[in-house]
Amino acid sequence: MQRVITILLGILVIFNIYAFLNEHRIALLVGTTMLMPMIGVYYGFARKWETTGVDKLMYFACILGGFSDISIYLNYKNNGELTQITLACIVHLVYIIIFQKEGTHVYNLERKNLLKLAIPAGFVFFFFGFVLLKVIPDTVFLITVLYAFELFVLVVLGYFRPVTRKSYWIGFTGVTLILIKDVFYSEFHFINQNPLVHSLMDITNALAYFCITWSIAINQNDKSSVPNYVGIVSKFLKFLRNTHIVKMISLRILNLRYQLSIIYRNYLS
């Protein structure tokens, strides 16, 4: 069933591109609205419709993503871009929460991992700071700044996910494609409305969220990916054993035990 939905997703993307190039507005609205919910259906079959905390967040993100995609074309009272970016921020926030639930943390960076911060940081702040902010309308300025920061956090957490190799690299591809998709999105809506750019935006948008959804489903299905509580406990006990306070308490307990033994001996004698 997952393969069938994957094929249908590919057909849907082609359909949306065709509807846009031929200016079939109603068909485009329907096709755009179906994309993210269909990705959610793919996730549901991949997870056998489980309803854990992460699963519910994924379903919510896919449903909300459908409204996000359609809002740019409805453009109610000329607020299509503002609504779309706002909803996209919420969707990305949901993915950030999911990545954190998977155990992603960024700390104690080694030199080999600095590129995982430097590349997305350089790209996001250069593109949004030196290219996009010069051309975007004032109505979406603040939300775009928030979106840029949130996008940076999303990509970094995607690069640091502590998951299996297959799940990691599929997710890595997904968050990277989000960066590329946003370039096409910005180019089309704020700089040059070239139909080719829009087609590339449709393709990268579908691939990005499909890859993220696929990677999360793989990790949730991986029963071996459980927290190493034994390792955590042993490290915590080792930490306590090496702390100065614990040593002082241990000495005081030993001293108290020695004094009690003296008192007990004197009492017997």
Side-chain angles (χ1 to χ4, degrees), residues 61-72:
C62 291
I63 293 173
L64 192 63
F67 290 104
S68 175
D69 289 338
I70 196 177
S71 61
I72 193 68

Side-chain angles (χ1 to χ4, degrees), residues 40-210:
V41 172
Y42 173 89
Y43 180 86
F45 278 105
R47 289 283 295 137
K48 298 181 180 178
W49 299 103
E50 293 285 342
T51 55
T52 65
V54 171
D55 296 326
K56 291 178 180 178
L57 287 172
M58 282 298 301
Y59 300 141
F60 174 70
C62 291
I63 293 173
L64 192 63
F67 290 104
S68 175
D69 289 338
I70 196 177
S71 61
I72 193 68
Y73 299 108
L74 291 176
N75 199 22
Y76 179 68
K77 293 184 178 180
N78 297 320
N79 288 323
E81 291 89 356
L82 178 62
T83 305
Q84 200 279 334
I85 297 173
T86 302
L87 292 176
C89 280
I90 300 175
V91 172
H92 288 178
L93 179 61
V94 174
Y95 286 130
I96 288 172
I97 294 172
I98 292 173
F99 288 165
Q100 289 183 325
K101 283 182 174 291
E102 289 181 325
T104 305
H105 298 286
V106 182
Y107 60 93
N108 292 334
L109 285 176
E110 299 178 4
R111 186 175 301 177
K112 64 180 181 180
N113 288 327
L114 290 179
L115 286 178
K116 293 181 180 180
L117 284 176
I119 292 177
F123 178 88
V124 170
F125 293 112
F126 174 82
F127 178 74
F128 282 86
F130 292 95
V131 179
L132 186 58
L133 293 184
K134 296 179 180 179
V135 297
I136 61 174
D138 293 337
T139 54
V140 296
F141 182 86
L142 291 178
I143 192 65
T144 302
V145 173
L146 174 62
Y147 180 88
F149 175 76
E150 191 178 73
L151 178 63
F152 166 70
V153 175
L154 173 69
V155 174
V156 168
L157 292 182
Y159 285 175
F160 280 87
R161 292 172 66 228
V163 296
T164 58
R165 290 180 63 87
K166 183 177 180 180
S167 176
Y168 175 82
W169 286 112
I170 294 174
F172 180 96
T173 303
V175 294
T176 302
L177 284 173
I178 284 183
L179 291 176
I180 300 173
K181 178 266 297 182
D182 284 333
V183 173
F184 292 135
Y185 176 94
S186 305
E187 173 73 19
F188 179 80
H189 288 287
F190 303 122
I191 301 175
N192 179 26
Q193 292 189 338
N194 188 318
L196 176 61
V197 175
H198 188 277
S199 300
L200 293 173
M201 180 185 73
D202 286 342
I203 295 171
T204 52
N205 178 68
L207 285 175
Y209 291 110
F210 177 77

Side-chain angles (χ1 to χ4, degrees), residues 2 5-7 9 35-36 38-39 42-43 95 170 174 204-216:
Q2 293 168 239
I5 298 174
T6 303
I7 295 172
L9 282 169
L35 178 65
M36 285 298 289
M38 189 174 291
I39 290 177
Y42 173 89
Y43 180 86
Y95 286 130
I170 294 174
T204 52
N205 178 68
L207 285 175
Y209 291 110
F210 177 77
C211 286
I212 292 176
T213 302
W214 185 15
S215 68
I216 293 173

